[in-house]
Amino acid sequence: MSLSENGIAEGSAAGSFRIRTLEIPARPLAPALYLVATPIGNLGDITLRALETLAGAGVIAAEDTRVTRVLLDRYGIAKRAFAYHEHNSAEAGPRLISAIASGKSVALVSDAGTPLVSDPGYRLVRDALEAGLQVVPIPGASSVITALSAAGLPSDAFYFAGFLPQKEKARRDRLAEISVIPGTLIFFESPNRLPASLKDAADVLGPHRYASVCRELTKTFEEFRRGALSELADHYDRNPNVKGEIVVAVAPPEAKAAPEGAALDDMLKTLAAQMPAAKAAAEAARQTGLARKDLYQRLLELKT
C-alpha cells in the first residue's frame, strides 16, 4: 500500500480476491471510473466481475469505509478504501479525478447497492465525463429493482422518487406532484418516518391505492407487507417501532375515462382562457391522454 501525491491510498496494480478457500488473481484495470454495485444486505449477492474490479482497482472510493471494509474482508481483498461521501465530495472528488487522469483505476462503491442511487456519486461521474475520462458501470444489486420485482405491482413502467421530504407539507406536495405518473412509484423511507409517510400517501394518492412496504431486503428478516395504503398506514400507526432499511412501492393510479362532449369542451375553454391555444391543447392532452392534434382542432372549432 502506498500514498500517492494526491493523498489517496493506492493498492497494487492488481490484487486478488478469495471465494472460500479459492484465491483468484485479478487483472489490472485500465484507467477509468468504475461504478461497482455491492450487495444490499446479503454479501453473497456480489458478482464475480465486481470482486475482480475491486481487487484489480488502484483506488477504492467508498461512501463509508467501515461498511466497505466488511465486504473487502469477506472476500480477502487486501486494499484500503478512500472516503468519498456527501460531506467531502468537493475536496475528495478532484483528487479522485486527478488519480484517474494520471493513469489510475478508481472503483466507486456506495454503502449498499448501485452507486449514484441516492448518494453523491453522480457528481464524480459528471466530473469524470467533463474531464474526458471513461466511466464503466459494473452492475449488480439494487434495492429499487429488488423491491419492484417482488412487490406484486406493475413493473413495465416505474418512477423512483428517492427519499420523500422530511417535513409534512413538503412531503405531501411532492406526493401530489408524482401522483398522476402512469407507473409504479418507488421511494425510500426511514423507519421513524414510515407511519407519517404512509398516512400522507393514503391521503394524497388515495386510500385504496395498492402498495408494498419492503423491509430489510435480502437480509435475515426480509419482509414484504402488501395492501391498500390506508391499511398499511393503519398497521404502522399501530406498530410504529419498525426497524431496518425500507423501500415503499405504490401502484400506478387507475386510468380515468377521458372527458367527452360538453365536459371536454368545458375543459378546453377553461384551459384556453389561461394560456395560448397550443399550450391549452397540450395540457388537455396530458390530462386526458387524447391526441393533442385533435384537441387543438376542436379548440379552433370552439373559437369560431
Side-chain angles (χ1 to χ4, degrees):
M1 184 75 68
S2 63
L3 198 67
S4 76
E5 61 183 12
N6 295 313
I8 298 175
E10 297 173 1
S12 59
S16 64
F17 61 96
R18 186 178 64 248
I19 299 179
R20 293 189 173 90
T21 60
L22 180 62
E23 191 83 12
I24 304 173
R27 294 165 293 182
L29 300 173
L33 173 62
Y34 296 84
L35 310 176
V36 184
T38 55
I40 58 177
N42 190 319
L43 294 184
D45 288 338
I46 196 163
T47 68
L48 289 175
R49 187 183 178 202
L51 289 174
E52 185 173 30
T53 301
L54 292 174
V59 178
I60 298 175
E63 188 176 6
D64 187 328
T65 58
R66 296 165 299 179
V67 173
T68 302
R69 183 75 263 154
V70 173
L71 176 66
L72 298 179
D73 287 347
R74 164 71 177 270
Y75 291 101
I77 299 174
K79 295 190 175 183
R80 198 175 81 197
F82 172 80
Y84 174 80
H85 48 71
E86 181 180 2
H87 304 293
N88 77 343
S89 60
E91 183 267 338
R95 293 165 65 183
L96 291 169
I97 296 298
S98 177
I100 301 171
S102 66
K104 303 296 187 299
S105 54
V106 172
L108 175 69
V109 299
S110 59
D111 283 357
T114 301
L116 276 69
V117 179
S118 289
D119 71 40
Y122 80 92
R123 301 187 191 113
L124 192 61
V125 170
R126 178 197 60 198
D127 293 344
L129 294 174
E130 289 180 352
L133 302 174
Q134 187 176 10
V135 176
V136 182
I138 310 295
S142 165
S143 59
V144 175
I145 301 302
T146 302
L148 181 64
S149 67
L153 300 174
S155 57
D156 55 329
F158 68 92
Y159 179 83
F160 173 59
F163 280 95
L164 294 176
Q166 298 183 24
K167 298 294 181 63
E168 179 182 351
K169 184 181 184 306
R171 184 167 58 237
R172 293 173 75 95
D173 288 345
R174 178 61 174 146
L175 285 167
E177 288 176 0
I178 63 178
S179 63
V180 296
I181 291 176
T184 293
L185 305 178
I186 300 177
F187 55 88
F188 294 157
E189 193 50 276
S190 68
N192 61 307
R193 289 198 301 269
L194 181 63
S197 288
L198 288 173
K199 180 181 182 302
D200 289 340
D203 290 344
V204 176
L205 303 179
H208 303 299
R209 200 151 157 180
Y210 196 80
S212 177
V213 175
C214 316
R215 187 178 67 85
E216 291 290 84
L217 292 171
T218 77
K219 300 179 183 178
T220 301
F221 299 104
E222 178 180 82
E223 177 186 59
F224 293 88
R225 184 169 292 276
R226 306 173 180 89
L229 277 171
S230 59
E231 296 171 347
L232 293 172
D234 181 63
H235 171 81
Y236 287 104
D237 181 60
R238 291 183 284 105
N239 302 276
N241 297 321
V242 62
K243 297 180 180 179
E245 297 179 344
I246 296 168
V247 183
V248 178
V250 183
E254 292 186 5
K256 296 181 180 179
E260 299 177 347
L264 179 59
D265 289 349
D266 288 343
M267 170 187 280
L268 289 171
K269 291 176 182 177
T270 299
L271 291 172
Q274 302 170 4
M275 59 189 76
K279 288 187 177 181
E283 176 60 21
R286 186 190 70 81
Q287 293 185 26
T288 65
L290 298 175
R292 182 189 62 80
K293 181 180 178 181
D294 293 341
L295 293 169
Y296 182 71
Q297 182 61 39
R298 178 56 183 160
L299 193 54
L300 292 181
E301 293 172 357
L302 289 173
K303 288 188 173 183
T304 59

